[in-house]
Amino acid sequence: MELNIKRFEELTTRELYEILRCRSVVFVLGQECVYQDVDELDFCSTHVYFSENGRIMAYLRVIDPGVKYERASIGRVLTMDEFRGHGLARSLMIEGIKIGKSRAKAIEIEAQAYLRDFYKSLGFREISEVFMLENIPHVSMVLE
């Protein structure tokens, strides 16, 4: 297993394709969430993922501060089905937090509401009521 940390410009076309494929499998197909996944935030992000033999196991992006929020942000957090239950999301979030904290004093996320305890265990606290985003309940959280 390999940890990959790359700015958008450093991604190969194959890596970008695999990232977009995984995001589509998890969010569009798996959660039946029709939304505009390909956004300009990818350009201003650090892409962090575990891979093995060219296959992404888990992924997230750290968005630069001042782009989505004044704070840094972490989003598109996913673990592919066949790799769930091994702590990859937690390990990846720890890496994402390090990157975000190196760029800003705080990190803000839009967490799926059912995962708020997971994010709380990493030090995030809720800063909003539950709201709907792409027909999925979310809550805004911050780590300072």
Side-chain angles (χ1 to χ4, degrees):
M1 181 172 69
E2 180 181 352
L3 174 64
N4 301 271
I5 302 172
K6 296 187 176 192
R7 294 295 295 179
F8 182 83
E9 307 78 34
E10 298 172 313
L11 294 170
T12 66
T13 52
R14 184 169 295 279
E15 288 169 322
L16 179 59
Y17 176 88
E18 182 66 7
I19 287 168
L20 295 175
R21 185 190 70 77
C22 290
R23 289 181 357 191
S24 179
V25 166
V26 171
F27 300 119
V28 177
L29 299 175
Q31 296 181 357
E32 298 179 359
C33 182
V34 178
Y35 73 108
Q36 182 62 45
D37 178 46
V38 179
D39 59 22
E40 295 191 12
L41 297 177
D42 282 323
F43 297 128
C44 306
S45 298
T46 301
H47 302 267
V48 186
Y49 61 95
F50 287 119
S51 65
E52 194 168 73
N53 300 320
R55 291 185 56 218
I56 290 180
M57 304 164 73
Y59 166 88
L60 62 76
R61 69 179 180 185
V62 181
I63 303 166
D64 296 339
V67 177
K68 184 171 183 173
Y69 303 113
E70 184 177 314
R71 305 168 169 121
S73 182
I74 296 174
R76 301 289 199 266
V77 181
L78 66 85
T79 302
M80 299 303 289
D81 280 344
E82 60 267 35
F83 300 109
R84 290 191 177 156
H86 301 287
L88 293 178
R90 177 171 299 282
S91 297
L92 208 57
M93 278 299 297
I94 290 167
E95 292 299 324
I97 289 167
K98 287 179 196 174
I99 294 165
K101 289 292 226 165
S102 74
R103 299 194 174 130
K105 291 182 181 179
I107 300 168
E108 187 169 339
I109 63 173
E110 293 172 336
Q112 291 187 11
Y114 83 96
L115 290 169
R116 67 178 124 192
D117 288 340
F118 168 71
Y119 291 111
K120 283 180 182 177
S121 76
L122 291 162
F124 286 87
R125 66 177 172 82
E126 292 181 45
I127 58 170
S128 79
E129 297 295 321
V130 173
F131 60 93
M132 296 302 285
L133 181 63
E134 311 298 346
N135 294 316
I136 296 174
H138 281 72
V139 62
S140 291
M141 301 182 83
V142 68
L143 174 67
E144 298 174 303

